[in-house]
Amino acid sequence: MSVTVQDKLLKEIDRTKAPNHVAVIMDGNGRWAKKFGKERFFGHNSGVNSVRDTIEASIDIGIKNLTLYVFSMENWKRPEAEIKALMHLLFSSINGELENLNKNNIKLNVIGKKDLLPKVTKKRLETAVEETNKNNGLNLNLAISYGSKQEIIEAVKSISEKVKKNIISLENIDENIINDHLYTRNLDNVDLLIRTGGEIRVSNFLLWQISYAELFFLELLWPDFKKRHFYEAIVEYQKRARRFGKI
């Protein structure tokens, strides 16, 4: 039986040195659909398979936290028909995958301005979060209606209000205080950020949390992203020296 590239890559990975937190910007669905002469939603729908591969690969390696950039604050500026289609896809995907989430001991979390979501979508997400709350395997974090600048602004407002009420002392404000007021307050900072689609930017995603993350950019479009590409990113990550400013 021949050994595949995917199998070889998986064997290269040292699970004891796997990143604790991986974040992914899933870019290129629309361009992928265009290649086939299809509407953008065809790409979004096909990208669900890549999400599944990424989750499975994370479990294979033993990664504890995976954060996916599902829908940004800027995405609300897209055509109304596309937004409705994306919200429907999100709703149906959660419905279809909830059993597998529990089967694989995955804990779901949602970060972002959830109040902007359609009520039925928001309710479904909240229910799914509640129904997976006792799972203690992979923490799957979906960034939906998310923008890092907005997250930081809200944190500053919340901290300022507590300073005003003498709940927090101005002198005691540090990284830990700020971390505690972000959407990701229960997560460690990102170790590895992966972006598909050929763009070399972070697009207002986890700006505070990726301050010392390793960045891995891929030319391929998101629906073409498979397990082996995720493994490639992990292999590359493990080759890098992470000094955090030290020698």
Side-chain angles (χ1 to χ4, degrees):
M1 185 177 177
S2 61
V3 178
T4 65
V5 172
Q6 180 174 299
D7 292 333
K8 288 179 181 178
L9 287 166
L10 186 55
K11 286 182 179 180
E12 282 188 53
I13 295 170
D14 182 349
R15 287 173 174 78
T16 65
K17 296 179 181 179
N20 178 57
H21 188 177
V22 177
V24 185
I25 299 176
M26 308 178 292
D27 191 24
N29 287 330
R31 283 172 285 158
W32 187 86
K34 189 176 180 179
K35 287 198 309 180
F36 295 95
K38 303 283 189 178
E39 295 295 326
R40 291 175 57 85
F41 182 71
F42 177 71
H44 295 307
N45 194 52
S46 299
V48 172
N49 294 322
S50 298
V51 171
R52 193 175 294 113
D53 266 16
T54 301
I55 293 170
E56 290 176 0
S58 297
I59 294 171
D60 290 343
I61 298 167
I63 288 167
K64 186 62 179 173
N65 302 288
L66 175 66
T67 302
L68 304 178
Y69 205 4
V70 176
F71 190 89
S72 73
M73 287 293 292
E74 290 76 17
N75 288 157
W76 288 114
K77 299 173 185 177
R78 292 186 176 184
E80 186 178 349
E82 183 176 352
I83 291 173
K84 284 184 177 179
L86 284 167
M87 291 298 115
H88 176 74
L89 178 60
L90 178 58
F91 182 90
S92 60
S93 296
I94 293 297
N95 268 346
E97 294 297 327
L98 186 55
E99 184 178 344
N100 282 331
L101 292 178
N102 281 317
K103 182 180 177 182
N104 290 289
N105 197 29
I106 297 170
K107 183 176 182 178
L108 184 68
N109 183 42
V110 179
I111 60 173
K113 291 185 71 64
K114 290 170 280 192
D115 288 344
L116 296 179
L117 297 171
K119 288 183 180 179
V120 66
T121 305
K122 179 174 178 284
K123 179 63 177 175
R124 191 68 193 94
L125 285 167
E126 289 173 343
T127 302
V129 168
E130 185 179 342
E131 291 181 6
T132 62
N133 187 51
K134 293 182 180 178
N135 296 339
N136 58 10
L138 174 69
N139 290 315
L140 175 60
N141 312 290
L142 304 181
I144 302 172
S145 189
Y146 174 87
S148 189
K149 286 185 177 181
Q150 184 63 40
E151 175 184 28
I152 293 169
I153 289 169
E154 289 189 16
V156 170
K157 287 181 178 179
S158 180
I159 293 168
S160 299
E161 189 66 27
K162 290 180 180 180
V163 169
K164 201 158 63 173
K165 294 179 178 178
N166 293 318
I167 298 171
I168 294 175
S169 168
L170 187 64
E171 292 75 21
N172 289 336
I173 297 175
D174 57 11
E175 284 191 25
N176 291 327
I177 292 289
I178 294 173
N179 282 332
D180 288 344
H181 290 80
L182 297 173
Y183 299 148
T184 55
R185 60 182 62 89
N186 297 317
L187 296 172
D188 293 328
N189 284 331
V190 176
D191 298 304
L192 172 64
L193 172 68
I194 301 170
R195 179 174 186 146
T196 62
E199 306 292 355
I200 304 176
R201 54 175 178 261
V202 296
S203 298
N204 197 21
F205 184 46
L206 301 174
L207 300 179
W208 175 274
Q209 299 87 339
I210 64 169
S211 56
Y212 273 103
E214 297 297 321
L215 309 180
F216 189 80
F217 297 102
L218 288 165
E219 287 290 332
L220 83 168
L221 305 176
W222 179 246
D224 292 325
F225 187 84
K226 306 303 176 189
K227 276 188 178 184
R228 71 178 180 86
H229 301 112
F230 190 86
Y231 297 154
E232 283 175 3
I234 303 300
V235 169
E236 172 62 26
Y237 167 84
Q238 293 189 338
K239 290 178 181 177
R240 299 182 186 179
R242 305 187 73 211
R243 290 185 283 270
F244 300 96
K246 302 174 185 176
I247 296 175

